[in-house]
Amino acid sequence: GILYSTVDKYLELIDRLQEAFRVRDLLEKYYTERVPFIERRSILKNLTGIPEKKEPVKDYISMPALPYYLDRADWILEVNSVVEADSLRKCMKAHRGAAQFACIMFPELRSADGIHTMYYAPPEYKEYGSYPLDFHETEEGENSEQES
């Protein structure tokens, strides 16, 4: 009984949020607008050989073009991790001629094990949110830009 009432409250909240933010309309527009770019044979053949992954990969490589789909923004700046470079390249290829992409890619931080990046680390070594806000600080706590 407790579980059902909790789930019902979450479903009600989701419905209210969808109404307030027009999520369904935006999703429909996203899926409709990406068809001419993503559903081309030249794009689909290089996505994945695993049928179950095809739709998520289409989402993954088309998401950087969302400003184009929703607002016809033809200049898009992607700010993301270098881990996302491959999906951005595929998005750029699919949207060649429709939108221009530029990117600022930042490196992934090393995890607590000192070997993996945060993205690839086992869960026990991930430290999201615990890295310093000033990446230029030296061990002494002084700003390295001031020293140079």
Side-chain angles (χ1 to χ4, degrees):
I2 293 171
L3 179 61
Y4 285 121
S5 67
T6 302
V7 169
D8 288 342
K9 287 177 186 177
Y10 276 110
L11 291 173
E12 180 185 332
L13 176 61
I14 289 168
D15 286 340
R16 288 186 12 229
L17 288 171
Q18 286 178 339
E19 287 176 26
F21 293 108
R22 303 172 318 148
V23 172
R24 286 188 183 110
D25 294 341
L26 293 173
L27 275 173
E28 185 176 320
K29 186 171 185 178
Y30 166 66
Y31 287 121
T32 301
E33 293 289 327
R34 78 177 193 180
V35 166
F37 303 100
I38 301 301
E39 298 297 330
R40 296 189 328 229
R41 177 179 212 114
S42 62
I43 300 302
L44 292 175
K45 71 177 182 178
N46 295 319
L47 289 183
T48 179
I50 303 169
E52 296 82 12
K53 288 188 175 184
K54 188 168 265 188
E55 289 303 315
V57 171
K58 287 195 285 190
D59 290 345
Y60 188 62
I61 69 162
S62 62
M63 195 54 70
L66 187 62
Y68 177 79
Y69 302 146
L70 299 182
D71 299 317
R72 285 297 182 248
D74 53 1
W75 286 90
I76 299 170
L77 175 63
E78 173 84 1
V79 179
N80 214 327
S81 165
V82 294
V83 174
E84 307 301 336
D86 190 46
S87 67
L88 180 61
R89 276 192 292 272
K90 289 180 181 185
C91 184
M92 291 167 65
K93 180 181 177 186
H95 295 82
R96 189 174 294 136
Q100 298 291 319
F101 293 85
C103 61
I104 298 173
M105 298 287 196
F106 54 89
E108 282 286 314
L109 297 172
R110 219 177 263 175
S111 67
D113 67 1
I115 299 168
H116 299 92
T117 63
M118 292 282 198
Y119 184 83
Y120 291 106
E124 63 269 19
Y125 293 117
K126 292 183 185 278
E127 295 181 308
Y128 292 117
S130 63
Y131 42 84
L133 294 178
D134 185 355
F135 293 107
H136 298 288
E137 281 190 17
T138 62
E139 289 183 17
E140 294 81 33
E142 296 179 21
N143 192 320
S144 61
E145 291 175 8
Q146 292 174 347
E147 294 174 2
S148 53

